Amino acid sequence: MSEAVKVDHVRLYIPGPTEVRRDILEEQARWMIGHRGADFEALYASVQGKLRQLFYTNSRVLVSTSSGTGLWEGASRNCVRDDRRVLHLVNGSFSERWADVSQRNGKQVDVLDVDWGKAHKPEQLAEALQKQAYDAVAIVLNETSTGVKNPLEAMVEVIRQYPDTLILVDAVSILGGYKIDFDGLGLDVLLTSTQKAMGLPPGLAYAAVSDRALERAKQVPYRGYYFDFIELDKMGQKNNTPATPNISLLYATDKQLDYMLAEGLEARFARHERMAHMTRAWALGAGFQLFSEEGYHSPTVTTVDNVRNVDVKAMNKFLKARGMTLSDGYGKLKGRTFRIAHMGDLMPDHMQELFDALDAFLKGA
Ligand SMILES: *Cc1c(COP(=O)(O)O)cnc(C)c1O
């Protein structure tokens, strides 16, 4: 095995934070501006227009200076009344945690569980909705721990039969890599963070929010303060935010959205699908299995079932010396799986470079 070369940049194949282009990082080094002035309003308006294209909505995309977790709290608080219930669809670590967030905000939570690695199916959801009325159903579209993409379209069809039930969707590790038509599907909250498939540093979260969701929020007297959707929307209409936002990251978002729109959203989604396909083919070809259920593989992250029992730590050490890193399994799946992200600004050539290095490691392992 050749002596490891020193590298000053380790390319991230982890499902967040993801790779960020050098010039996007540098956008954050612009001079500060006041957030109560015309320059900021122009920046906000520019970002807002482009975000609406990315979220496929004509309504509004709220801007939160927090990570995605903050908007979990916001969605749970604003969309579920105290004397009603919320149904959380759980099939991995992140969906489990969102249910916990609702509970800790004093909401009455029911959980619909399926085995980790499996996707939620519309039939079970239909059954659950027949038994109990819900203010909202909370769905994690892309379970970053298991590499499963839930069948959102089919589930939306089921929930739509209950006009009082809002549809809350966490798209944190997928929005920007997969088409989610907010208006077309009739979603109520669609939230993401900057540091995953959008290919930006961490520090902001965005959520498309429907009129219905805002109407619901008005019926919740204690929505908290920082994540109050009505307050965020009210200021958003004036191209502003209630509290001081992460201005630097808004500059970076503005420019990154230019890149995304220049690539073309459809082309971008196709690139993600292609990289996902390459990754699955590599994993199977190298004698591993896929942890995610057939037919429900994520376009942005692959959770590899480590049936060869390779030492993930040693593998990552080998990669790191070559300027790359991937992710161990998440939570209870650590060691049993490892995860390869193929999202944001990673390109098919980058994926091939990773597979070549992994093959070299496995030859010596
Ligand atoms: C990363 C992740 C989160 C948490 O987002 P933060 O921005 O870290 O708060 C939530 N949901 C999913 C699916 C994720 O992948």
Side-chain angles (χ1 to χ4, degrees):
M1 219 174 275
S2 64
E3 193 54 37
V5 269
K6 275 224 159 64
V7 289
D8 73 337
H9 168 213
V10 176
R11 192 185 296 133
L12 303 177
Y13 296 86
I14 63 175
T18 55
E19 275 297 292
V20 182
R21 295 169 199 252
R22 181 44 105 182
D23 64 328
I24 294 296
L25 290 171
E26 282 163 3
E27 272 302 288
Q28 296 185 108
R30 293 168 73 119
W31 293 109
M32 266 313 111
I33 54 173
H35 68 299
R36 299 292 184 227
D39 289 343
F40 179 80
E41 283 171 24
L43 172 62
Y44 187 102
S46 173
V47 171
Q48 181 66 205
K50 294 169 202 170
L51 281 175
R52 287 182 192 181
Q53 293 180 60
L54 180 64
F55 281 73
Y56 292 85
T57 186
N58 292 314
S59 61
R60 65 192 65 70
V61 181
L62 304 182
V63 175
S64 171
T65 294
S66 67
S67 75
T69 302
L71 286 178
W72 268 351
E73 192 146 292
S76 302
R77 285 199 83 122
N78 284 271
C79 298
V80 184
R81 288 167 290 192
D82 290 343
D83 56 344
R84 308 296 166 91
R85 307 190 72 81
V86 55
L87 179 66
H88 276 268
L89 305 191
V90 171
N91 58 339
S93 291
F94 290 96
S95 42
E96 187 172 69
R97 203 188 298 168
W98 191 6
D100 188 35
V101 166
S102 287
Q103 210 136 30
R104 292 195 203 196
N105 277 282
K107 302 300 177 182
Q108 301 186 57
V109 174
D110 286 341
V111 166
L112 187 59
D113 253 321
V114 299
D115 286 345
W116 291 24
K118 298 277 185 277
H120 278 278
K121 307 289 156 47
E123 296 77 23
Q124 288 159 293
L125 175 60
E127 230 172 85
L129 293 179
Q130 271 163 17
K131 282 193 216 137
Q132 169 73 44
Y134 288 102
D135 253 6
V137 176
I139 304 167
V140 171
L141 173 56
N142 193 61
E143 237 314 336
T144 319
S145 58
T146 63
V148 167
K149 176 172 68 67
N150 286 304
L152 181 64
E153 292 79 3
M155 295 197 286
V156 163
E157 238 171 78
V158 172
I159 307 167
R160 270 288 145 264
Q161 294 165 31
Y162 302 86
D164 290 335
T165 306
L166 300 179
I167 307 175
L168 318 179
V169 179
D170 165 332
V172 173
S173 57
I174 190 168
L175 198 137
Y178 177 76
K179 181 172 181 176
I180 311 165
D181 185 349
F182 184 84
D183 288 355
L185 288 169
L187 305 179
D188 294 294
V189 175
L190 177 62
L191 65 94
T192 196
S193 341
T194 42
Q195 79 279 10
K196 298 198 180 169
M198 289 185 76
L200 283 161
L204 282 171
Y206 298 117
V209 172
S210 70
D211 292 344
R212 279 164 26 110
L214 290 180
E215 284 309 309
R216 170 65 53 74
K218 286 180 192 157
Q219 299 168 45
V220 180
Y222 296 106
R223 298 184 294 276
Y225 191 92
Y226 196 64
F227 301 110
D228 180 355
F229 283 180
I230 294 187
E231 223 35 66
L232 286 163
D233 175 55
K234 203 159 79 188
M235 292 302 285
Q237 287 177 34
K238 295 186 265 186
N239 291 313
N240 220 305
T241 52
T244 319
N246 187 337
I247 296 167
S248 305
L249 193 45
L250 279 167
Y251 277 128
T253 301
D254 197 36
K255 184 153 186 177
Q256 178 66 354
L257 285 166
D258 284 340
Y259 274 123
M260 290 167 78
L261 295 169
E263 179 179 11
L265 293 178
E266 300 285 348
R268 190 178 171 85
F269 304 149
R271 170 167 61 81
H272 280 78
E273 204 45 71
R274 192 159 73 250
M275 295 191 300
H277 191 269
M278 286 173 75
T279 306
R280 296 195 292 266
W282 172 80
L284 294 171
F288 295 102
Q289 297 289 319
L290 304 173
F291 189 74
S292 46
E293 181 179 357
E294 191 55 43
Y296 301 92
H297 302 308
S298 161
T300 53
V301 59
T302 295
T303 299
V304 179
D305 195 344
N306 187 9
V307 290
R308 281 186 63 171
N309 263 316
V310 303
D311 180 344
V312 177
K313 244 191 189 154
M315 185 162 73
N316 235 348
K317 198 168 165 204
F318 180 92
L319 288 175
K320 209 160 180 187
R322 285 151 187 80
M324 293 172 261
T325 189
L326 49 68
S327 217
D328 207 330
Y330 194 93
K332 68 182 185 191
L333 298 176
K334 198 176 162 111
R336 215 204 122 174
T337 64
F338 59 91
R339 294 172 303 156
I340 301 173
H342 28 82
M343 65 173 94
D345 284 326
L346 287 173
M347 296 292 152
D349 284 353
H350 295 137
M351 301 315 299
Q352 195 52 55
E353 214 179 302
L354 175 73
F355 304 146
D356 291 346
L358 285 170
D359 287 337
F361 172 78
L362 292 170
K363 215 183 277 170

